[in-house]
Amino acid sequence: MTSYEESQRKMSRHLSQALDDIGVIQDMTDLRRHIHLLEETMLTESNKLRDCNETYYIVGSQSEGTTTIGMDSDTDCLMILNDYLVVFDWAEWDKDKIILLAIRDRTTPPQLCYLQRLRHDLPIKLDHPVNPTDEVDEEGRVLVSNKWMASKLWEVLKHFGPMISHGPSTSYSDKVDLVYAFPCASMPEECDFLFRRPRPGHYPKPETLERARHCPTFLVPQGHPFSEHKHLQWRISTSLWERFLVFDFTAEQQHVYVLLKMIRKSFIKPVVGDNMSTFHMKTAVMFTIESCQPDIWRRDNIIASAVNCLNTLLRWIRIGYCPHFTTYGVNLFHGKLDKRKLIKLKNVITQIKSHNMWCIYQIQMDMLGFHLLPDIRILDDRRHSNQLKILRGILHSIPGMVTWIMSGLMSNSRQQNTYEAVNAIIGHHRLLHSIHISGSSLEREYASLLLHHIYGLLASTLASSFIARQLPVTQFVINLYKLSFTSDLMSTKLKYASMLYCSGHCAAAAQVLTHCEGLLGPDVHHYCQCYDRPQTHKDQSDAHLEAGLNGNITELLKSHSTLCVMFSTHESCCVPEHLQYEMFRTMTHVDQQLRHGCTDWMDLVVIDCVPFLHYLQYLVYRQLGQPAEKLAALQKLKDYVSQPGGIRGHGDTAAHMLAHCCELENQLDVALDLYQQSVQHFPRNNIANWHLARLLQ
């Protein structure tokens, strides 16, 4: 072995170690994948609870697990409209779907097609437009414009604020790319290229190819940039195939891919912008893996493997043609990189390859260059802290999804009577129970996260109806409450304590509240993702995240996490009377107009666990005639409301609970001041406006 080869291998080992340190290790990759795949499962399955026929897929770097903290990657979400079906042959027509026929001619660019509307009752063409954006061509065919997708997304997202567009996606945030897509009835002909072209056989794995063969393809709203009819064109997407292909990467291949993404962002993007995209890099890695022997992908050969991928890119640049890995006839440079930009790209890649890839020492992203410095691991071992940072950044999505799903179900029941609401909850339970028994592992995990909240909702709804009729709460309802206690650490236990207080069982409520207070500790975190409120608390503690690294994520959410306590209209008799007013925070037309995004929770009573715990303690001990315990609970509530950072999350409701306690203590000036502070933070959609009017009249 030459000194150059030995130097390159030593540098590769250091680089691989550095990538491990910043979180590019299999455990964290698996964790990223699991959380995002669970999130897409929750999005899709929750649609069934709302009778919405859409499937969600989180694609790209987040669900692939090929990102780092420093990359600050966005989240790409495909939303599949399952009421529609794209057919490539008249024989695929289906009377149960809205059928769109894919049509192409000799002038249609590869990977693209036009969509013609067909009648729903017969397999013949439709002769009139359906949407204002539809166009009728010279042959009388009604064609669907891809602008319709943007208008549909705008209608759904308009309450979130100004829209941002990136290619086929439209979103309310530069952190999320949302794309509506149509499912295809069969595999497009040009995609069969992936399965029939000759290859050595080690990549992709046969089982991966078989999985991809049975995986759906989609059409997304994107035309060719140079076409005069680009607004009528739709692009074939094989995003799910590509996800499986990345899942086939070994740990060493993933290191190479992440390194190339960092190189692209650090050195290539400043020269040619995003015209040279991550997708080009991914394609180069896939073709290189396919063509090279598996034994070159080693930790001591990361540099040489990355150079091989760059050489693949250089070959394509020289001929001006970058093939698509899954779709025949596509040039990924076309419309992105002209000759002038290709020359620039060639120069910058050649420069990157020079001097044994020493440019990687200049990569500031994730402090990669810093991690490569001699003896730096002795001075600053950051692997563990980076793992905690990764978990801190992605963990909130799952409890946020639970809160969003439950608040949506509860808000939708406002228009139902109690009988209808109970039947709807039972229907949700049956569906979730069925999924829990026979679903996939991800579906069962989703059902496990929701089922216990559903038990709590059903128990509280039934208990409220008993209390309203001055009837004792039955043992059956109490058993339902107990089944709900593992929803998370505390929220359903507090709903149970609230029911006990409202039904006059204060001694029993005090015991439950004492138990709940004993559950609090440094490893417990409160998650609140209610839209239109600042984040509730500080970042998760290291002790909380350690539990996530060392165990099951679902168990972490159930045993070390608390979610917002939520009450619907049908649970009102289980809520202290003063808090019931929170359901009516949207009092005026202006309030309604200023509700943006996912604000279903505003139709409910929503409270953070800790202040609700102390508020209930105050009420219970007051009722039991225990002044010392009552004042101790009041002081804890005051400490919570006055903590540094001011009113955050549902801190307005916490302030209202404290103000009510002050009213009961005949401290009306303090109560007024608390309501005024609440209005200063949240002038609209705030019941404090009514409380002020009540006290000042």
Side-chain angles (χ1 to χ4, degrees):
M1 184 183 299
T2 66
S3 59
Y4 171 79
E5 290 172 331
E6 178 56 36
S7 171
Q8 191 180 62
R9 290 194 174 187
K10 182 178 180 181
M11 184 177 173
S12 290
R13 286 191 291 267
H14 288 165
L15 175 58
S16 192
Q17 191 71 59
L19 288 167
D20 284 348
D21 291 344
I22 65 174
V24 190
I25 57 175
Q26 198 60 49
D27 285 350
M28 297 312 297
T29 296
D30 291 343
L31 182 62
R32 284 185 186 274
R33 290 174 180 174
H34 180 78
I35 286 178
H36 289 296
L37 292 176
L38 178 58
E39 185 179 0
E40 75 175 25
T41 301
M42 295 179 75
L43 282 165
T44 296
E45 293 300 322
S46 66
N47 278 338
K48 297 176 182 177
L49 298 176
R50 299 184 291 118
D51 294 322
C52 176
N53 195 17
E54 294 179 5
T55 301
Y56 288 76
Y57 296 105
I58 297 173
V59 297
S61 59
Q62 292 289 4
S63 64
E64 292 170 356
T66 56
T67 187
T68 66
I69 297 172
M71 281 189 199
D72 196 25
S73 301
D74 56 12
T75 300
D76 301 315
C77 186
L78 272 179
M79 301 179 291
I80 312 305
L81 301 173
N82 293 319
D83 289 330
Y84 292 81
L85 189 65
V86 174
V87 300
F88 296 91
D89 188 281
W90 287 91
E92 295 176 326
W93 181 85
D94 185 340
K95 64 181 178 61
D96 296 324
K97 302 281 187 178
I98 301 171
I99 300 299
L100 305 172
L101 176 65
I103 55 177
R104 286 176 279 194
D105 57 30
R106 289 182 294 108
T107 64
T108 308
Q111 203 186 8
L112 299 173
C113 65
Y114 300 89
L115 292 179
Q116 178 187 357
R117 290 192 182 273
L118 303 185
R119 283 174 53 170
H120 71 278
D121 55 342
L122 291 170
I124 59 177
K125 70 178 184 179
L126 198 65
D127 57 5
H128 60 275
V130 174
N131 287 310
T133 57
D134 287 351
E135 292 190 16
V136 181
D137 69 3
E138 56 191 17
E139 297 181 29
R141 299 177 297 191
V142 179
L143 302 181
V144 183
S145 169
N146 57 43
K147 292 181 179 179
W148 174 68
M149 286 293 202
S151 64
K152 182 176 176 64
L153 258 178
W154 185 88
E155 188 62 31
V156 172
L157 302 174
K158 63 183 179 182
H159 296 300
F160 286 86
M163 295 295 102
I164 303 168
S165 293
H166 299 289
S169 71
T170 302
S171 185
Y172 56 89
S173 167
D174 58 2
K175 299 295 183 185
V176 181
D177 284 343
L178 303 172
V179 181
Y180 270 129
F182 292 130
C184 297
S186 59
M187 183 196 306
E189 183 181 356
E190 54 265 58
C191 296
D192 189 48
F193 165 72
L194 174 65
F195 308 101
R196 57 183 171 79
R197 75 165 184 260
R199 55 168 54 89
H202 58 269
Y203 178 86
K205 296 175 184 174
E207 56 268 31
T208 302
L209 286 173
E210 189 61 24
R211 192 177 181 188
R213 187 187 293 276
H214 294 94
C215 196
T217 53
F218 312 107
L219 290 187
V220 297
Q222 185 178 37
H224 194 281
F226 297 151
S227 172
E228 61 182 47
H229 302 299
K230 62 183 177 183
H231 64 291
L232 294 173
Q233 294 171 346
W234 298 77
R235 178 173 61 80
I236 296 168
S237 170
T238 55
S239 295
L240 294 189
W241 299 14
E242 293 149 20
R243 188 164 76 181
F244 293 147
L245 292 168
V246 173
F247 285 178
D248 249 4
F249 286 4
T250 65
E252 293 76 20
Q253 290 161 352
Q254 179 144 316
H255 273 183
V256 172
Y257 180 36
V258 171
L259 173 63
L260 290 173
K261 289 172 72 171
M262 299 174 95
I263 287 172
R264 185 202 76 85
K265 204 162 187 177
S266 300
F267 307 117
I268 296 176
K269 184 175 179 179
V271 177
V272 295
D274 285 323
N275 293 298
M276 172 64 182
S277 68
T278 297
F279 192 73
H280 290 106
M281 286 295 190
K282 183 192 297 186
T283 303
V285 173
M286 287 179 177
F287 273 108
T288 306
I289 294 173
E290 183 183 75
S291 60
C292 292
Q293 290 301 312
D295 59 2
I296 74 162
W297 305 93
R298 304 186 312 273
R299 290 177 69 88
D300 66 352
N301 205 39
I302 298 297
I303 298 294
S305 298
V307 170
N308 283 337
C309 295
L310 292 176
N311 285 334
T312 299
L313 270 175
L314 283 174
R315 286 197 303 272
W316 294 338
I317 290 169
R318 291 188 186 102
I319 62 174
Y321 188 92
C322 175
H324 197 294
F325 194 79
T326 66
T327 309
Y328 178 74
V330 178
N331 181 2
L332 293 174
F333 287 159
H334 200 195
K336 295 282 187 180
L337 295 159
D338 56 24
K339 288 184 179 180
R340 183 175 58 85
K341 288 179 180 175
L342 285 173
I343 292 171
K344 287 185 176 181
L345 185 57
K346 176 185 174 182
N347 292 337
V348 72
I349 291 178
T350 302
Q351 186 65 29
I352 289 168
K353 285 177 52 186
S354 65
H355 306 299
N356 196 24
M357 297 276 285
W358 277 86
C359 66
I360 62 175
Y361 285 95
Q362 301 171 25
I363 295 178
Q364 298 179 16
M365 192 181 305
D366 294 290
M367 300 176 67
L368 181 67
F370 173 78
H371 281 272
L372 290 171
L373 295 176
D375 301 324
I376 199 63
R377 285 183 50 76
I378 298 173
L379 300 173
D380 189 8
D381 186 354
R382 299 182 173 222
R383 179 184 298 191
H384 186 68
S385 63
N386 273 322
Q387 291 176 3
L388 295 182
K389 285 179 184 177
I390 291 169
L391 191 57
R392 182 173 285 121
I394 60 178
L395 187 58
H396 61 82
S397 65
I398 302 304
M401 286 296 304
V402 173
T403 301
W404 173 72
I405 293 168
M406 290 303 302
S407 64
L409 294 178
M410 295 164 76
S411 178
N412 290 343
S413 71
R414 282 171 64 91
Q415 307 305 319
Q416 301 171 327
N417 60 40
T418 301
Y419 177 78
E420 292 169 335
V422 168
N423 279 337
I425 297 168
I426 292 172
H428 300 330
H429 171 267
R430 285 174 179 162
L431 178 58
L432 288 167
H433 184 66
S434 173
I435 293 171
H436 194 257
I437 292 174
S438 58
S440 67
S441 60
L442 285 168
E443 289 169 346
R444 291 197 300 272
E445 189 171 355
Y446 149 76
S448 175
L449 286 167
L450 265 293
L451 262 174
H452 300 283
H453 288 280
I454 292 293
Y455 282 127
L457 175 58
L458 180 58
S460 192
T461 302
L462 291 173
S464 181
S465 70
F466 285 126
I467 295 170
R469 290 175 288 162
Q470 297 184 328
L471 296 172
V473 176
T474 65
Q475 188 61 44
F476 172 75
V477 173
I478 302 242
N479 290 339
L480 284 175
Y481 270 116
K482 291 179 179 178
L483 286 172
S484 76
F485 287 169
T486 53
S487 60
D488 64 334
L489 188 65
M490 194 184 300
S491 67
T492 50
K493 296 182 181 75
L494 290 176
K495 292 183 79 164
Y496 178 55
S498 185
M499 180 277 292
L500 291 172
Y501 165 75
C502 292
S503 59
H505 297 86
C506 290
Q511 290 181 341
V512 174
L513 294 171
T514 299
H515 171 70
C516 286
E517 189 167 19
L519 296 174
L520 296 173
D523 61 336
V524 176
H525 183 76
H526 179 77
Y527 288 93
C528 173
Q529 297 296 311
C530 294
Y531 189 85
D532 225 18
R533 281 294 185 269
Q535 294 301 301
T536 311
H537 292 301
K538 301 175 182 177
D539 283 341
Q540 304 98 313
S541 68
D542 284 356
H544 176 76
L545 296 170
E546 291 283 0
L549 286 179
N550 297 330
N552 180 282
I553 291 298
T554 302
E555 201 54 42
L556 171 73
L557 298 179
K558 290 184 176 184
S559 304
H560 300 274
S561 309
T562 63
L563 305 183
C564 299
V565 186
M566 297 187 290
F567 293 95
S568 70
T569 304
H570 301 290
E571 303 169 83
S572 57
C573 291
C574 293
V575 187
E577 184 177 352
H578 188 79
L579 273 180
Q580 293 177 23
Y581 293 110
E582 297 290 324
M583 297 183 191
F584 308 101
R585 70 184 80 227
T586 303
M587 295 181 288
T588 68
H589 177 70
V590 175
D591 283 342
Q592 186 63 53
Q593 292 297 110
L594 291 176
R595 281 178 57 163
H596 302 296
C598 302
T599 54
D600 287 340
W601 64 268
M602 287 190 179
D603 298 325
L604 314 170
V605 176
V606 185
I607 332 156
D608 297 337
C609 279
V610 171
F612 189 44
L613 165 67
H614 299 320
Y615 176 61
L616 285 176
Q617 286 177 324
Y618 172 86
L619 295 176
V620 165
Y621 292 133
R622 181 175 183 271
Q623 196 68 26
L624 290 173
Q626 298 178 11
E629 289 81 356
K630 177 194 74 170
L631 292 177
L634 179 59
Q635 186 59 51
K636 291 172 186 175
L637 184 54
K638 286 180 178 178
D639 292 343
Y640 179 91
V641 172
S642 61
Q643 64 185 328
I647 294 179
R648 300 179 63 78
H650 299 292
D652 52 340
T653 304
H656 304 165
M657 292 189 290
L658 178 57
H660 179 227
C661 297
C662 292
E663 289 186 58
L664 295 175
E665 295 292 314
N666 203 30
Q667 300 173 4
L668 297 185
D669 289 346
V670 178
L672 277 170
D673 185 55
L674 285 164
Y675 289 132
Q676 287 168 346
Q677 288 180 42
S678 176
V679 171
Q680 287 173 5
H681 282 85
F682 303 107
R684 292 292 180 180
N685 291 293
N686 191 341
I687 196 61
N689 287 300
W690 183 85
H691 287 304
L692 284 171
R694 172 176 59 82
L695 291 180
L696 292 172
Q697 66 181 1

